[in-house]
Amino acid sequence: MGKRIVVPFGPQHPVLPEPIHLDLVLEDERVIEAIPSIGYIHRGLESLVTKRDYKNYVFVAERICGICSFIHSSGYCQGIEAVMEIDVPLRAQYLRVFWSELSRMHSHLLWLGCYADSFGFENLFMNAWRIRESVLDIMEETSGGRVIQGSCKVGGVRRDVSNTRLREIVRSLETIETQITELTEVFLNDSTVMHRTKGVGVLSESDAWKLGAAGPTLRGSGIKSDIRTTGYGAYEFLKMKPVVHHGGDCYARCMVRADELHSSIDLIRQVSDQIPDTEIEVKVTGGPNGEYFSRVEQPRGEAVHYVKGDGSKNLVRHRVRTPTCANIPPLLTMLAGCDLSDVPVIVLSIDPCISCTER
Amino acid sequence: MMKETQQTRVVLAADLLYEVKRLSDRGARMIQLGCTQDGEVFELNYSFDIDGGFENIRVCTNGNEVIPSVSNIYLCSFIYENEIHDLYGITFEGIAVDYKGTLIKTAKLHPFRMDPTEMKKTVKGKGKLQAKTLKEEVPSESVPEQTADQEIQTDATGEVFKAVESIEGRGNIETVEKEEDREDKKEAE
């Protein structure tokens, strides 16, 4: 048995987009145990809900994360709308799906870039982010914001996208889809990439279930779980199948995200074909009185927005359970027994978002 | 809009393990464990997914009671139990992986645990008044020495941060008020 040492990993590390600290207990080059600590970027956003009008708080909810921002705002609005029993117009629900899927695409492309960077493939990183720019351009054009859109509101959405424009966007997505296919081909078939990802950071199906994994981490271990299939919002009217792969390793998680890029494009196509011509918002009066656990599928997995109101303009509580928080226990299991050199790849494979986790 | 049917059952802390085990036997997936302080009562919400449906178990506690950990049934709960312990100061007995208060590093001990009387003021949206009140109430000796890094973490507690700023002369309540007014104006626009 080699001598045991503790190597601190993070909070500042080139591979980490956001700060999380892991104490890696090593025996020679092998990780025996990983002990996490967080709290470096806690912003107290949940606390703000008691001081801000619940309608204005949408802007705060959107800033919980700088990547899946739109889905946070729609998850929050969905919670309030459920408490107040607001019937959101169908067009608004379809538009929410449209922006949510664009968010998923840009998040997955961002992740693919960071992931390539984690194993030192910088050219692939740049290619992924180049494609992501095209998605961000669509978001900017349709909502006015590249990352923070501000287009969701309690009772609907703030902006409309014309049917003609939606069809044009679908056509432009065909080019993006071709580029994505070329890009993911490298991630899934290049021997050097496979060498760094296949059989690395394995999470078995039973562990994924027991440890409460979420999103691509869960689906990469062979469990068919996607909250979109429960039919929240306009997903009720759209056809989709959860993307599932069975390897349980970093490669399988990458495959899930690569395939989800295509399923997002397919969902946007369906939105363009089916979107009805209705209003995009309804007037909301009064304050929410009651509680609701709003569940949405973010790029990283299931997020839960718990909202509780007492009828006043300020909510009593808003708690967010983010997918990264759920993926920390599986991550610790994946790290135990791996090589030190694989730690960055494994950490990145859960697509960690610490801003979300800490709020 | 399709609204999910959500069941919430309030159970006693003593019955918690039994109820959670029953859900586990039915094949439920644990979604989350969250805490909400409502005055003097702390609500612990254990949420589960059963075949796509949502079920919630609630334990109400005064915050000083020791709650049995469910991590021996659902291992994933250890992350939430450690989080709640660090933020609210609620003790869980028998956590499978117990970080003993080191998971979330905070400058203030249990920053989410609020004085019920102060909480009422916050709920009414009297942020500015509260900052003034805290300025008077927080004695300067009790203010911990802080580095720039710690300040960011202390911001999680909102008003305490503002009061500390004021006491240490790195800002004042008026500045805070002006900033808030500016934010309000922007929001109104």
Side-chain angles (χ1 to χ4, degrees):
Chain A
M1 193 176 82
K3 190 183 168 191
R4 286 195 176 188
I5 55 164
V6 177
V7 172
F9 183 86
Q12 303 300 330
H13 189 281
V15 84
L16 288 174
E18 290 168 283
I20 181 171
H21 176 79
L22 294 168
D23 276 325
L24 301 172
V25 182
L26 297 182
E27 202 177 277
D28 296 331
E29 286 285 307
R30 194 158 293 274
V31 178
I32 303 298
E33 191 188 3
I35 302 159
S37 59
I38 54 177
Y40 297 97
I41 43 169
H42 204 295
R43 292 159 292 162
L45 297 185
E46 286 175 347
S47 170
L48 267 178
V49 83
T50 57
K51 302 184 192 80
R52 292 278 184 266
D53 183 299
Y54 73 94
K55 289 181 195 164
N56 295 340
Y57 184 79
V58 180
F59 298 110
V60 180
E62 192 161 26
R63 280 157 177 80
I64 288 173
C65 177
I67 300 166
C68 41
S69 47
F70 182 82
I71 308 184
H72 272 301
S73 61
S74 65
Y76 168 79
C77 289
Q78 184 177 277
I80 299 289
E81 287 152 4
V83 172
M84 299 178 76
E85 303 200 330
I86 298 166
D87 251 338
V88 180
L90 268 179
R91 191 173 181 85
Q93 290 188 40
Y94 274 90
L95 286 171
R96 282 182 186 178
V97 170
F98 170 71
W99 280 309
S100 294
E101 293 310 318
L102 283 174
S103 298
R104 194 177 319 280
M105 283 177 71
H106 105 74
S107 173
H108 282 353
L109 285 165
L110 181 140
W111 176 81
L112 283 168
C114 292
Y115 190 53
D117 192 44
S118 75
F119 46 76
F121 204 152
E122 288 202 10
N123 199 291
L124 199 55
F125 156 74
M126 286 186 239
N127 252 319
W129 281 41
R130 180 177 56 82
I131 303 170
R132 176 175 170 258
E133 279 302 308
S134 314
V135 179
L136 290 180
D137 286 346
I138 297 173
M139 293 180 90
E140 186 177 13
E141 186 200 332
T142 52
S143 68
R146 280 161 58 83
V147 177
I148 304 285
Q149 284 88 30
S151 47
C152 201
K153 67 184 287 189
V154 177
V157 290
R158 282 195 173 77
R159 282 166 177 260
D160 198 357
V161 184
S162 72
N163 293 349
T164 320
R165 189 66 202 113
L166 278 173
R167 283 192 290 274
E168 282 169 12
I169 288 168
V170 168
R171 274 198 294 278
S172 70
L173 283 176
E174 282 170 18
T175 317
I176 295 174
E177 193 167 21
T178 314
Q179 292 171 341
I180 286 171
T181 309
E182 285 169 8
L183 177 82
T184 52
E185 188 77 8
V186 183
F187 278 97
L188 303 178
N189 295 319
D190 185 272
S191 59
T192 54
V193 176
M194 284 164 75
H195 178 68
R196 295 299 311 272
T197 57
K198 266 212 157 175
V200 174
V202 178
L203 183 72
S204 69
E205 191 176 331
S206 61
D207 277 350
W209 180 268
K210 197 170 62 185
L211 294 164
T217 308
L218 183 64
R219 293 191 286 277
S221 291
I223 296 174
K224 195 177 168 183
S225 170
D226 190 320
I227 296 304
R228 287 176 291 177
T229 56
T230 61
Y232 70 85
Y235 288 109
E236 189 183 351
F237 313 107
L238 305 172
K239 284 181 190 159
M240 69 147 297
K241 279 184 184 169
V243 177
V244 178
H245 286 283
H246 294 270
D249 53 5
C250 293
Y251 182 77
R253 291 188 276 281
C254 183
M255 278 171 87
V256 171
R257 293 192 178 94
D259 289 351
E260 281 189 355
L261 283 167
H262 296 283
S263 79
S264 289
I265 292 175
D266 183 50
L267 282 165
I268 293 170
R269 268 195 206 107
Q270 291 184 53
V271 166
S272 162
D273 292 343
Q274 298 178 22
I275 192 164
D277 291 319
T278 64
E279 293 295 312
I280 57 164
E281 58 175 310
V282 287
K283 197 179 175 191
V284 178
T285 51
N289 193 358
E291 59 182 336
Y292 191 74
F293 293 87
S294 167
R295 295 199 284 167
V296 285
E297 186 72 23
Q298 283 189 338
R300 296 173 180 83
E302 176 188 17
V304 182
H305 283 254
Y306 170 64
V307 290
K308 183 176 182 176
D310 59 0
S312 67
K313 291 283 179 193
N314 307 110
L315 290 185
V316 175
R317 176 78 164 125
H318 174 227
R319 140 125 179 128
V320 190
R321 194 288 259 142
T322 60
T324 300
C325 183
N327 282 330
I328 288 177
L331 172 67
L332 304 178
T333 305
M334 289 178 220
L335 288 172
C338 78
D339 281 344
L340 178 61
S341 58
D342 287 332
V343 170
V345 179
I346 297 173
V347 171
L348 253 290
S349 77
I350 68 157
D351 194 1
C353 182
I354 309 304
S355 293
C356 282
T357 307
E358 300 193 11
R359 281 96 60 205
Chain B
M1 190 185 84
M2 199 196 79
K3 187 179 168 183
E4 194 175 45
T5 311
Q6 299 186 340
Q7 239 186 3
T8 295
R9 282 184 298 128
V10 180
V11 301
L12 294 172
D15 298 333
L16 177 65
L17 291 180
Y18 172 75
E19 294 288 343
V20 171
K21 184 76 177 68
R22 268 182 52 189
L23 281 164
S24 164
D25 292 342
R26 283 167 59 198
R29 176 172 65 89
M30 186 171 191
I31 300 173
Q32 64 113 30
L33 161 55
C35 183
T36 299
Q37 185 179 358
D38 193 356
E40 292 175 356
V41 179
F42 293 80
E43 294 175 352
L44 296 171
N45 289 305
Y46 296 75
S47 311
F48 300 88
D49 181 301
I50 306 180
D51 300 327
F54 185 91
E55 205 165 315
N56 195 52
I57 287 181
R58 178 169 297 159
V59 174
C60 296
T61 169
N62 60 10
N64 301 319
E65 190 182 357
V66 177
I67 307 294
S69 165
V70 299
S71 56
N72 288 319
I73 304 168
Y74 286 98
L75 182 56
C76 58
S77 72
F78 79 82
I79 199 84
Y80 306 115
E81 288 168 345
N82 277 291
E83 183 189 36
I84 291 171
H85 171 266
D86 293 0
L87 296 179
Y88 288 93
I90 293 172
T91 310
F92 290 88
E93 192 178 27
I95 307 181
V97 185
D98 192 349
Y99 294 119
K100 300 189 188 304
T102 60
L103 174 67
I104 302 180
K105 293 192 167 78
T106 55
K108 182 178 182 269
L109 194 65
H110 310 140
F112 277 33
R113 194 179 185 121
M114 295 174 78
D115 182 335
T117 50
E118 285 300 326
M119 197 179 170
K120 277 177 195 163
K121 288 177 193 169
T122 313
V123 172
K124 285 175 189 168
K126 304 289 183 190
K128 295 168 194 173
L129 282 176
Q130 193 190 16
K132 282 180 183 171
T133 315
L134 278 167
K135 184 194 171 190
E136 291 153 12
E137 286 176 3
V138 177
S140 54
E141 309 86 76
S142 70
V143 178
E145 281 186 21
Q146 300 197 349
T147 63
D149 286 347
Q150 283 171 326
E151 252 175 39
I152 298 165
Q153 292 170 19
T154 323
D155 196 17
T157 59
E159 289 65 43
V160 175
F161 173 67
K162 290 169 189 169
V164 169
E165 259 193 337
S166 169
I167 291 161
E168 296 193 352
R170 286 176 289 178
N172 54 53
I173 297 295
E174 277 182 18
T175 315
V176 172
E177 284 179 3
K178 280 173 188 170
E179 280 172 5
E180 284 191 358
D181 289 343
R182 275 201 295 273
E183 280 171 19
D184 289 344
K185 276 178 194 170
K186 274 183 191 171
E187 279 168 16
E189 283 167 9

